[in-house]
Amino acid sequence: MPAERIDGVAIAARVRATVAADAAALKAARGVTPGLTVVLVGDDPASAVYVASKEKACKEAGMNGETIRLAASTPEAELLAVIDRLNADATVHGILVQMPVPKHIDAQKVIRRIDPRKDVDGFHPVNAGKVLIGDADGFAPCTPAGVQVMLVESGVDTAGKEAVILGRSTIVGKPMAALLIQSGKGADCTVTICHSRTKDLKAHTRRADILIAAIGKPEMVTADMVKPGAVVIDVGINRVDDPTAKKGYRIVGDVQYDTVREVASKITPVPGGVGPMTIAMLLANTVRAARLSVGA
Ligand code: GUN
């Protein structure tokens, strides 16, 4: 029997509805409208699309969403001064500097300048540390946080399960492991992280009850690598050439969906899986930042 498809669009819509209700409640109780400010440096077309969708999602949830657009030539000091101003602005609860930033700007320096209480991306080392120690005050990066919500919402019992993560990135792989090893709902897993130097990758992936692919290699995970009945979460978003498609390319994940779905018990599609969860979690983090800012 083919795997059940985990519908990221539907789960993200539920998260966004909860966020909208929470935002309205905070406004009614404390007169505070949660606000996210996105800073975009340069004119990368893909980043411009992401940023526009973040602003739109904020407004749809009844939140303030502002974008500050800076020229690609903006000096690093000027960007840091913008962050200082946003850190000091009580109406701004979440700050996100869209990555990548131009090469003359040190991304780590920028991330570290953001007040960790406003770091709704969960990229600041303080938040990385809080996520690792299981401090509920911290902000987890939106993509792994979204994966965890998907596991819970689709009824996956994670306790005691073998979770294997493909990819050790700071934004997905490492925080994903940190979330899954905590005790509690959507966690309590035994976690393995595999990466480019891992030996006998298949031996690891075949042990996984929950397999999370975040390596950025189109359709790398094939059916023979998957344990029958496993839950497969595909974080990959890869462009592959496709002359038959209108745009000349199509988007595929890190998992070969059509074959793996014959082996897995549940699987996320690409698109329509993890992707929509990322913005939903960004909104959720921003509302929480707003709530924490007034001690609510
Ligand atoms: N660029 C692509 N995705 C993201 C994200 O989630 N956060 C930031 N800051 N930049 C990105």
Side-chain angles (χ1 to χ4, degrees):
M1 200 170 62
E4 177 192 326
R5 181 173 164 278
I6 300 177
D7 186 345
V9 175
I11 299 171
R14 292 205 290 275
V15 171
R16 285 167 68 155
T18 305
V19 166
D22 289 350
L26 190 62
K27 199 168 175 177
R30 306 294 289 262
V32 172
T33 303
L36 172 70
T37 297
V38 176
V39 183
L40 174 62
V41 188
D43 36 34
D44 175 60
S47 290
V49 172
Y50 288 138
V51 164
S53 55
K54 286 168 187 169
E55 192 177 324
K56 181 165 168 269
C58 279
K59 294 192 169 140
E60 282 171 5
M63 298 162 53
N64 290 328
E66 197 204 342
T67 304
I68 296 175
R69 291 182 172 80
L70 301 174
S73 59
T74 302
E76 183 183 273
E78 204 174 300
L79 174 58
L80 296 176
V82 168
I83 295 171
D84 289 344
R85 179 169 65 72
L86 297 172
N87 281 341
D89 184 342
T91 67
V92 174
H93 306 102
I95 302 169
L96 182 152
V97 178
Q98 183 70 20
M99 299 293 162
V101 286
K103 285 196 178 64
H104 66 279
I105 294 174
D106 179 346
Q108 282 309 315
K109 202 162 162 186
V110 169
I111 289 166
R112 282 158 209 240
R113 192 70 159 237
I114 298 170
D115 184 331
R117 293 169 298 184
K118 298 191 179 191
D119 168 41
V120 288
D121 251 336
F123 290 176
H124 193 287
V126 165
N127 283 315
K130 285 186 173 181
V131 168
L132 189 61
I133 65 175
D135 183 334
D137 254 10
F139 293 105
C142 300
T143 300
V147 168
Q148 189 174 41
V149 169
M150 291 179 102
L151 291 171
V152 172
E153 290 292 308
S154 52
V156 176
D157 178 11
T158 54
K161 298 290 164 59
E162 293 275 351
V164 176
I165 300 163
L166 303 184
R168 58 176 158 186
S169 72
T170 310
I171 296 175
V172 183
K174 286 175 188 162
M176 188 79 252
L179 291 172
L180 294 176
I181 54 172
Q182 304 304 324
S183 55
K185 206 169 168 190
D188 284 315
C189 293
T190 302
V191 178
T192 304
I193 300 186
C194 299
H195 48 76
S196 55
R197 305 297 293 268
T198 296
K199 293 196 174 103
D200 197 358
L201 186 65
K202 195 164 141 179
H204 291 285
T205 60
R206 293 242 358 142
R207 278 194 300 104
D209 301 309
I210 300 167
L211 182 61
I212 300 173
I215 26 169
K217 290 201 176 146
E219 301 183 319
M220 199 205 91
V221 176
T222 47
D224 57 311
M225 296 169 71
V226 177
K227 174 173 158 179
V231 175
V232 179
I233 308 288
D234 190 350
V235 181
I237 300 176
N238 309 290
R239 263 189 196 194
V240 293
D241 291 339
D242 181 354
T244 68
K246 214 167 27 177
K247 291 180 176 163
Y249 66 87
R250 67 196 158 87
I251 301 293
V252 299
D254 291 347
V255 175
Q256 197 178 71
Y257 185 84
D258 286 342
T259 57
V260 171
R261 75 192 277 268
E262 300 298 330
V263 182
S265 62
K266 293 178 196 272
I267 186 168
T268 62
V270 176
V274 176
M277 293 300 296
T278 301
I279 288 187
M281 299 313 294
L282 178 67
L283 301 182
N285 276 351
T286 303
V287 170
R288 197 157 62 80
R291 233 195 273 127
L292 290 170
S293 78
V294 292

